[in-house]
Amino acid sequence: MSAIDLLYHAALNRPSAPTLIINAHAHALLLQLSEKCQQLDLHQHFKPEHTAIHQLGLNVSPTLPALDETYDTIFLLPSKNKQQTLAWMAQAMQSLDANGTLLIACANNHGAKSYESALQSLAGNTLSRSKSKCRIFSAKKTASLDSALLAQWLRAGEVRTIPSHGLIAQPGLFSWDHADIGSQLLIDHLPDNLSGTGMDLCCGYGLLSEHLLRTTPQVDRLHLVEADRLALDCAIQNTTVWQQKTQSHWLDATHDALPEKLAWIVCNPPFHTAQQRDVELGKNIVKRGCQQLKRGGSIYVVANRKLAYETLMQAELRACQTIIEANGFKIIKGIR
């Protein structure tokens, strides 16, 4: 039984009451829960999971409810980033009615004991049990709530300017607090004559996009494509000076329709799904990117040097070469 199973089974055993699930995941039990609850609000900012929930026929939002919306019960599945998860825990406690309950489920190897300890520090009370290498724990909102710690966790999870590059980001986004080595290598080896319409595929909070728009004025239009709504919101703000040139797309690059007939693409593809390594994810994204180029268009991909994207790029394109290998990464250029 996974942490998701454990949490949703616990939800079905709760009395019917206004309920929120933070970081909700698609599951057959959600349908049963939606039939039981007088009010069930679902939050999910990652497009593939958001789409999967929507395909169950359920409403789901990429943003958390306003603070004036309160709940008797809130369920939470941690993200892979601790600061983001602690901020969600603080927001959940803030959004509970008096004596309302927050329940969290987490795999033991994803930090369950640490999160349980954190909830104890925040709420001053916890109940827990273990099953199938997972832990589910809960706390009530009482007078024991540590308001100072709640405020600290909320601040720590906020969007902020990162001094090293001057862009905004927040915990939970890829390489949120610094320019990652791969993207910086790609920035250092992009040509300065890109023009026309291009795409930043898997743009994150907009590190590559901001650089291109700032240094390459001949670019006519740039499509920002990202599956994480929180990252895309930061990318939009980071490129707001050039908003007449940009178009943002919150979509799943492995399945949703992408902009096409592009003169060029830059891409730093992910190769993890949640906490699990998923090389096929990156391959799928790179392949789909290659297919969106017009004839003569070029794609620049940064990848871990051990990831063999060249074979699939050679199958899709008429030319492909590795421009540089350095610091464990490589830049691959392809021409359609």
Side-chain angles (χ1 to χ4, degrees):
M1 181 177 286
S2 70
I4 298 171
D5 293 310
L6 196 60
L7 192 70
Y8 289 173
H9 277 291
L12 284 171
N13 291 326
R14 296 283 301 179
S16 177
T19 300
L20 169 67
I21 302 180
I22 299 176
N23 194 25
H25 283 57
H27 196 289
L29 292 179
L30 270 183
L31 293 172
Q32 297 180 43
L33 195 56
S34 68
E35 294 171 357
K36 175 183 177 179
C37 288
Q38 56 181 277
Q39 177 188 345
L40 177 64
D41 291 342
L42 304 175
H43 157 263
Q44 180 51 256
H45 61 92
F46 186 55
K47 190 64 188 304
E49 275 299 334
H50 184 280
T51 298
I53 294 171
H54 190 70
Q55 287 174 343
L56 292 175
L58 301 176
N59 292 325
V60 55
S61 172
T63 58
L64 287 168
L67 291 178
D68 59 356
E69 185 79 34
T70 60
Y71 300 87
D72 177 81
T73 310
I74 297 178
F75 297 90
L76 188 154
L77 288 163
S79 75
K80 61 182 179 181
N81 180 275
K82 187 169 185 178
Q83 279 179 264
Q84 183 179 55
T85 300
L86 294 181
W88 285 347
M89 289 168 63
Q91 287 175 284
M93 274 294 171
Q94 199 171 43
S95 297
L96 282 173
D97 296 322
N99 213 41
T101 303
L102 170 62
L103 294 95
I104 302 172
C106 184
N108 291 338
N109 62 354
H110 291 161
K113 288 185 178 180
S114 174
Y115 285 129
E116 182 183 350
S117 176
L119 184 59
Q120 174 67 37
S121 297
L122 178 64
N125 66 93
T126 54
L127 293 173
S128 71
R129 63 185 177 91
S130 297
K131 185 174 183 179
S132 304
K133 298 182 180 180
C134 296
R135 186 178 295 263
I136 186 166
F137 43 96
S138 64
K140 287 188 174 295
K141 184 177 183 178
T142 68
S144 299
L145 180 66
D146 189 331
S147 298
L149 186 59
L150 183 147
Q152 177 186 324
W153 288 359
L154 287 175
R155 286 194 301 272
E158 289 177 347
V159 173
R160 83 281 305 266
T161 300
I162 308 305
S164 61
H165 49 54
L167 304 183
I168 66 165
Q170 70 181 109
L173 308 185
F174 170 67
S175 193
W176 70 274
D177 57 352
H178 65 284
D180 67 285
I181 296 173
S183 290
Q184 189 58 58
L185 185 67
L186 181 53
I187 285 172
D188 292 341
H189 290 85
L190 284 175
D192 59 10
N193 62 346
L194 294 177
S195 61
T197 298
M199 173 168 63
D200 185 352
L201 182 57
C202 307
C203 69
Y205 57 82
L207 182 68
L208 296 175
S209 293
E210 189 276 339
H211 168 79
L212 282 165
L213 291 164
R214 176 168 45 81
T215 63
T216 319
Q218 65 270 25
V219 169
D220 296 324
R221 191 151 197 81
L222 176 59
H223 293 279
L224 282 65
V225 172
E226 174 56 46
D228 187 333
R229 181 74 237 190
L230 300 178
L232 185 60
D233 287 344
C234 288
I236 292 169
Q237 292 186 60
N238 284 325
T239 59
T240 189
V241 173
W242 306 278
Q243 60 184 312
Q244 299 303 317
K245 289 186 173 185
T246 61
Q247 185 173 346
S248 61
H249 308 265
W250 182 45
L251 52 78
D252 175 2
T254 65
H255 291 95
D256 297 338
L258 295 172
E260 56 185 18
K261 305 301 181 184
L262 301 165
W264 50 270
I265 295 171
V266 296
C267 183
N268 185 354
F271 55 94
H272 287 86
T273 300
Q275 282 95 346
Q276 305 300 318
R277 184 179 173 90
D278 185 359
V279 176
E280 292 306 311
L281 172 65
K283 288 182 177 179
N284 194 350
I285 290 171
V286 171
K287 180 178 180 178
R288 295 202 72 214
C290 292
Q291 294 169 347
Q292 308 313 117
L293 292 169
K294 65 182 182 181
R295 182 165 181 80
S298 56
I299 183 170
Y300 298 84
V301 176
V302 59
N304 184 295
R305 64 180 181 82
K306 295 182 180 180
L307 297 178
Y309 292 149
E310 293 89 341
T311 301
L312 70 90
M313 291 176 69
Q314 288 166 355
E316 296 291 333
L317 306 170
R318 60 189 176 89
C320 177
Q321 67 176 114
T322 298
I323 296 174
I324 187 173
E325 287 193 23
N327 302 319
F329 291 88
K330 59 187 174 184
I331 306 300
I332 312 166
K333 177 186 177 181
I335 301 176
R336 187 169 179 80

